[in-house]
Amino acid sequence: PAYRYDLSSVRGNLANLQLNTGRAKQAEGLFGDAAALLEKLATEFPTDLRFRGELARMRYNRALAFEAL
């Protein structure tokens, strides 16, 4: 799970960079990719609340990207 968690974090960071440089469409896709990884992790490891917290953050950030479109 560590690799997938790190991958979701990297995608989230890249998405933030995209969003902050006016590329909301690309950011939305990256936030969605990160959220998909985290959703699987949260399902596989329901007692690890870190995955749920990060999933919520990615969904929130994705909503911000939608708003910026």
Side-chain angles (χ1 to χ4, degrees), residues 17-49:
L17 177 66
Q18 296 289 334
L19 185 59
N20 292 332
T21 56
R23 298 181 188 110
K25 182 70 174 169
Q26 293 88 342
E28 184 274 322
L30 288 165
F31 283 131
D33 292 344
L37 287 168
L38 289 164
E39 191 167 344
K40 289 178 185 174
L41 286 169
T43 300
E44 290 176 31
F45 303 96
T47 59
D48 193 335
L49 300 180

Side-chain angles (χ1 to χ4, degrees), residues 1-2 13 33 50 54 57-58:
N13 289 336
D33 292 344
R50 165 184 54 158
E54 285 298 306
R57 188 172 68 85
M58 288 301 164

